[in-house]
Amino acid sequence: MQKSILILGACGQIGTELTIELRAKYGSENVVASDIREGGESLMQSGPFELLDATNYEAIEDVVMHYEIDEVYLMAAMLSATAEKFPMRAWNLNMNSLFNVLNLAKEKKISKIFWPSSIAVFGPNTPKENTMQSTIMEPSTVYGISKQSGERWCEYYFKKFDVDVRSVRYPGLISWKTMPGGGTTDYAVDIYHEALKKESYECFLNEETKLPMMYMDDAIRATINLMESPSEKLSVRSSYNLGSMSFTPKEVAQNIRKHIPNFEISYNPDFRQQIADSWPSSIDDSAAKRDWNWQPEFDLEKTTEEMLDNLKDTV
């Protein structure tokens, strides 16, 4: 069946790659990219693009009506490290953009929503190992608070208004195609760039900070698989835990040395250390595996090979 898709925040770290993948799958003309600024060449030239503020309901509604949009992927957000510097701006963007698309679906102007949550919904009192789907959630960051609130609103709109909204809690994401966007897990991208450029890296987290991570290809695949799953199979309408691999900066460095033997890493933890310390170190994603057959394909070794191989010609 033909569908028309709108991506809000298409120029961000996830949005860029998601847009390209959806266009390849559903046809370029059927996937409208949008953001508050223009994106890279591959995104801008591969299909329709609209300059759009995700906090402006009327502007989104106009685009939805013009293109007869069925599904919206809301990728616009201010991430953890940046949000700590601009708390009210982050809350405004992260929450009002979500209400806009939830209300469009409530009014039956769109039929399906994807909205990303994050491991930031968990907090310092959450069990760190194999963090369960339902557990203590006391986020200590503005980003985490907005994502936890968003999860509750998604479930509320599903139960109260039958809004078909779907979500995953992304771990830290690693990609060679796009630069990170102000998150606490950004080191896991930066480290590969610096390894190739300078054979050294100063990490803003300490060497034993173990966090859940995922290669971007897996994240995009999980997102599309969830959106294509039959509604009746889905038991979670807040947000699904999504797992892949967990590692420390020290372990990434050891992996890089297999390819760049002289690579050196030093540690100078900053304010992001406190954020990282409040997050889980590994994730139980059995609900996603059960409901829509989620299975990651990338581990740390495969990710390191992909990152270094693809970046070597760009630095």
Side-chain angles (χ1 to χ4, degrees):
M1 189 186 79
Q2 191 84 318
K3 63 171 85 176
S4 188
I5 296 168
L6 171 64
I7 302 170
L8 296 165
C11 299
Q13 187 191 13
I14 309 171
T16 300
E17 296 189 44
L18 179 64
T19 302
I20 302 300
E21 189 62 32
L22 287 170
R23 283 176 171 168
K25 192 173 182 67
Y26 295 116
S28 294
E29 70 284 357
N30 297 317
V31 180
V32 182
S34 74
D35 210 311
I36 204 159
R37 58 183 170 83
E38 292 191 349
E41 197 175 314
S42 61
L43 181 123
M44 298 300 292
Q45 294 185 358
S46 61
F49 179 86
E50 294 283 340
L51 277 175
L52 194 55
D53 179 353
T55 63
N56 186 330
Y57 180 87
E58 288 77 18
I60 300 170
E61 186 181 32
D62 285 348
V63 171
V64 163
M65 299 324 241
H66 177 74
Y67 289 96
E68 298 180 346
I69 298 294
D70 303 303
E71 300 181 3
V72 173
Y73 288 70
L74 172 53
M75 312 310 291
M78 193 179 290
L79 301 185
S80 57
T82 311
E84 289 304 292
K85 297 173 185 173
F86 309 103
M88 292 320 296
R89 274 166 57 185
W91 179 259
N92 179 49
L93 170 59
N94 295 358
M95 296 310 300
N96 288 347
S97 59
L98 176 58
F99 282 125
N100 286 342
V101 294
L102 288 173
N103 286 325
L104 282 167
K106 177 188 165 189
E107 300 296 328
K108 308 298 181 199
K109 289 171 180 169
I110 53 176
S111 60
K112 198 187 289 186
I113 297 165
F114 177 81
W115 172 80
S117 189
S118 162
I119 58 168
V121 296
F122 302 116
N125 297 321
T126 302
K128 286 208 173 293
E129 292 291 335
N130 222 22
T131 301
M132 294 171 64
Q133 175 66 46
S134 296
T135 184
I136 298 165
M137 297 166 74
E138 296 175 347
S140 54
T141 64
V142 175
Y143 180 63
I145 292 165
S146 71
K147 288 299 183 185
Q148 191 200 23
S149 302
E151 286 191 15
R152 303 272 54 83
W153 280 109
C154 285
E155 190 171 70
Y156 179 83
Y157 268 73
F158 170 72
K159 288 180 174 174
K160 191 91 172 173
F161 307 118
D162 199 29
V163 166
D164 188 355
V165 57
R166 303 167 182 213
S167 178
V168 294
R169 292 169 181 154
Y170 286 128
L173 297 178
I174 304 169
S175 169
W176 60 270
K177 292 177 185 172
T178 50
M179 293 302 288
T184 300
T185 54
D186 285 0
Y187 90 85
V189 177
D190 293 336
I191 193 170
Y192 293 108
H193 287 266
E194 295 301 304
L196 287 163
K197 265 193 270 189
K198 301 192 296 197
E199 294 193 354
S200 67
Y201 179 63
E202 182 179 276
C203 187
F204 55 74
L205 300 179
N206 72 46
E207 65 178 7
E208 298 298 342
T209 305
K210 185 180 174 188
L211 291 169
M213 297 283 188
M214 180 173 287
Y215 191 60
M216 186 66 83
D217 289 18
D218 272 344
I220 300 298
R221 193 167 47 82
T223 302
I224 296 172
N225 286 356
L226 174 59
M227 286 295 274
E228 290 181 341
S229 297
S231 183
E232 63 274 10
K233 293 268 183 77
L234 305 181
S235 63
V236 176
R237 290 296 185 155
S238 52
S239 190
Y240 278 97
N241 270 4
L242 196 64
S244 174
M245 52 185 152
S246 291
F247 55 72
T248 65
K250 184 179 180 180
E251 288 169 328
V252 189
Q254 288 166 346
N255 245 273
I256 289 172
R257 279 192 205 104
K258 293 176 186 176
H259 305 267
I260 305 172
N262 294 329
F263 177 69
E264 292 182 4
I265 187 168
S266 58
Y267 302 92
N268 185 19
D270 65 14
F271 74 99
R272 287 167 285 195
Q273 183 66 51
Q274 194 174 357
I275 298 174
D277 289 342
S278 73
W279 289 355
S281 54
S282 59
I283 294 291
D284 175 1
D285 58 359
S286 50
K289 287 173 173 167
R290 179 194 68 228
D291 289 0
W292 43 281
N293 301 317
W294 161 244
Q295 205 61 50
E297 293 179 358
F298 287 81
D299 59 11
L300 176 55
E301 289 202 4
K302 190 175 176 184
T303 297
T304 297
E305 286 171 13
E306 287 280 315
M307 289 294 286
L308 294 176
D309 193 45
N310 285 292
L311 284 174
K312 68 176 187 289
D313 297 326
T314 67
V315 296

